[in-house]
Amino acid sequence: MKNLLDYNMEELMVWLKENSESSFRAKQIFSWIYKGIFSFDEMKNLPKNLKEKLNSNFKIYIPEVVDVYSSNLDGTKKMLLKLEDGNLIESVIMKYKHGNTICVSTQVGCRMGCKFCASTIEGRVRNLTSGEILGQVLRAGEVEGERISNIVLMGSGEPLDNYDNVVKFLREVNAEYGLNIGQRHITLSTCGLVPKIRDLSNEGLNVTLAISLHAFSDEKRREIMPIANKYSISEILEECRNYIEKTNRRVTFEYSLVKDINDSKEDAKALSKLLKGILCHVNLIPVNEIKENSFKRSSEKTIEDFAQILKSAGIEATVRREMGSDINAACGQLRRSYMKNKA
Ligand code: SF4
């Protein structure tokens, strides 16, 4: 049986027509779903025979909550969610002054192999459907009891490695009949799949593009990100310039600071030189220490100095505030520790 959340309005209208129903019912069905009604039988304005047809063809599946870990420090909630096939994923709800942000996963696991990341340790299990990504946002709204106004695609998985489903999700979550979350409130983070960044720039979407850069040279980048063997930094930057030209959006560069690997003053100067002239913002991220590797976090002073060097070179830089540090669990950690305990 299909998950109705994998359908968009147009697709549902086509299905209704093919099944001798009025296409305007699609609007009614989605309006119930976005009011939090996930059972066709409770959709009061649908005729009985349509409910029967829907029940025998579709289900409305939202990932189930296995556990929610709440931070006492800043209200961050990390949700461990179960998909219909039993696979586990994580989503994080962060409370900011400008609204609630959810960090969604786009794949079960990931095959990109970044050395600092726990999500990739067992590789990619499978892609999430657009409905499973959307389901995380719906579940987050329910868990939080408040509107989710911002989305970051930075959880487990490389979004552009699941391109079609991710683009479908971006359109769905932005649709007026749906959650209507503005594209400017959505950030997609990629490790740099160059041809897919090009495709994204041609979609007519205006989401913020974030690049997980983490090093200023290909040589250094190759040490921590295998994708650097395939695409060079200069190819990535060329696509970023193209993306900026097409969308008028500032690009974000994420740079995880790892002690003695990429956090020296020379690194900061080289990064400034590299990014000069690009409409961008640098997000400095103190690396998450995970037991599967030996990466250590840079000191506060090193991080501050690094940011200062970028700013002096005219490059906007901020240090990402750590959210939910008391509930630990870097991206991918929750799922791994749950699976280990179960085993
Ligand atoms: S950082 Fe992102 S792209 Fe890299 S392995 Fe982790 S989930 Fe995949």
Side-chain angles (χ1 to χ4, degrees):
M1 209 177 276
K2 295 168 199 134
N3 184 2
L4 194 77
L5 282 188
D6 287 328
Y7 275 57
N8 60 26
M9 180 74 84
E10 241 182 310
E11 290 166 335
L12 184 56
M13 284 165 107
V14 170
W15 184 88
L16 287 163
K17 262 194 187 162
E18 284 171 359
N19 286 275
S20 318
E21 296 286 344
S22 308
S23 51
F24 77 89
R25 297 287 183 197
K27 211 170 176 190
Q28 293 177 327
I29 296 166
F30 278 118
S31 128
W32 284 113
I33 292 176
Y34 289 109
K35 275 185 208 145
I37 302 295
F38 304 136
S39 150
F40 297 121
D41 294 329
E42 288 174 42
M43 299 182 177
K44 291 185 188 135
N45 51 4
L46 301 187
K48 198 168 162 244
N49 69 325
L50 173 57
K51 286 181 189 170
E52 278 165 11
K53 278 187 201 172
L54 289 167
N55 275 323
S56 47
N57 285 282
F58 293 106
K59 64 203 158 186
I60 301 169
Y61 190 80
I62 317 275
E64 278 169 46
V65 176
V66 177
D67 235 323
V68 178
Y69 303 80
S70 302
S71 163
N72 293 321
L73 300 175
D74 52 33
T76 297
K77 292 189 182 72
K78 297 195 175 180
M79 300 189 292
L80 185 66
L81 301 173
K82 188 148 121 200
L83 303 172
E84 228 185 338
D85 62 1
N87 271 307
L88 296 168
I89 51 166
E90 297 168 31
S91 319
V92 184
I93 310 164
M94 293 159 286
K95 290 186 92 65
Y96 291 108
K97 277 194 203 113
H98 59 267
N100 295 314
T101 298
I102 180 171
C103 174
V104 293
S105 293
T106 53
Q107 296 177 315
V108 180
C110 183
R111 60 174 176 165
M112 294 298 139
C114 304
K115 295 239 171 78
F116 47 82
C117 176
S119 298
T120 195
I121 294 168
E122 273 117 23
R124 181 185 66 179
V125 179
R126 72 167 173 89
N127 284 334
L128 298 190
T129 67
S130 59
E132 286 171 330
I133 309 173
L134 185 61
Q136 296 170 59
V137 187
L138 292 173
R139 193 56 92 198
E142 197 182 82
V143 166
E144 195 56 41
E146 287 176 14
R147 178 178 150 77
I148 302 294
S149 51
N150 298 274
I151 300 174
V152 293
L153 287 85
M154 287 186 191
S156 293
E158 161 55 56
L160 297 184
D161 189 36
N162 181 15
Y163 187 85
D164 292 343
N165 291 340
V166 163
V167 167
K168 189 171 185 186
F169 159 74
L170 293 174
R171 296 199 198 285
E172 277 306 281
V173 84
N174 174 241
E176 268 180 38
Y177 63 84
L179 294 173
N180 200 4
I181 298 179
Q183 286 174 22
R184 288 168 177 264
H185 295 263
I186 301 175
T187 299
L188 182 150
S189 170
T190 174
C191 64
L193 304 188
V194 166
K196 297 293 178 189
I197 300 175
R198 170 62 58 116
D199 291 345
L200 189 68
S201 70
N202 291 325
E203 293 286 351
L205 293 164
N206 266 323
V207 299
T208 300
L209 177 69
I211 305 287
S212 295
L213 192 65
H214 307 308
F216 65 84
S217 74
D218 290 323
E219 199 191 341
K220 279 217 170 197
R221 200 164 186 258
R222 281 195 284 266
E223 281 173 29
I224 47 175
M225 300 178 78
I227 193 69
N229 292 305
K230 197 154 183 197
Y231 303 113
S232 68
I233 292 178
S234 73
E235 286 174 299
I236 294 174
L237 295 186
E238 197 186 315
E239 282 315 322
C240 288
R241 289 189 189 94
N242 174 57
Y243 192 84
I244 295 165
E245 206 181 299
K246 292 255 174 70
T247 61
N248 252 328
R249 303 286 293 147
R250 182 176 79 162
V251 168
T252 296
F253 291 101
E254 289 153 6
Y255 193 99
S256 288
L257 286 160
V258 186
K259 188 170 187 276
D260 299 333
I261 300 249
N262 64 358
D263 66 344
S264 71
K265 289 184 177 164
E266 286 64 40
D267 289 337
K269 283 178 198 156
L271 184 65
S272 313
K273 213 169 143 197
L274 186 73
L275 301 181
K276 207 159 183 66
I278 300 179
L279 180 65
C280 72
H281 170 258
V282 177
N283 226 338
L284 296 171
I285 311 161
V287 78
N288 270 311
E289 294 183 5
I290 59 173
K291 38 182 186 310
E292 288 82 1
N293 65 42
S294 55
F295 290 157
K296 291 273 165 275
R297 169 178 297 236
S298 312
S299 72
E300 295 281 320
K301 169 90 172 72
T302 307
I303 297 173
E304 246 173 62
D305 290 349
F306 201 100
Q308 203 42 56
I309 292 171
L310 291 175
K311 285 180 197 162
S312 314
I315 292 168
E316 258 189 69
T318 43
V319 179
R320 185 183 291 170
R321 189 156 65 92
E322 223 183 325
M323 301 294 284
S325 55
D326 55 332
I327 45 175
N328 183 30
C331 166
Q333 285 285 82
L334 222 56
R335 171 173 166 258
R336 275 178 63 73
S337 60
Y338 183 88
M339 287 185 344
K340 262 193 193 157
N341 286 345
K342 265 202 126 182

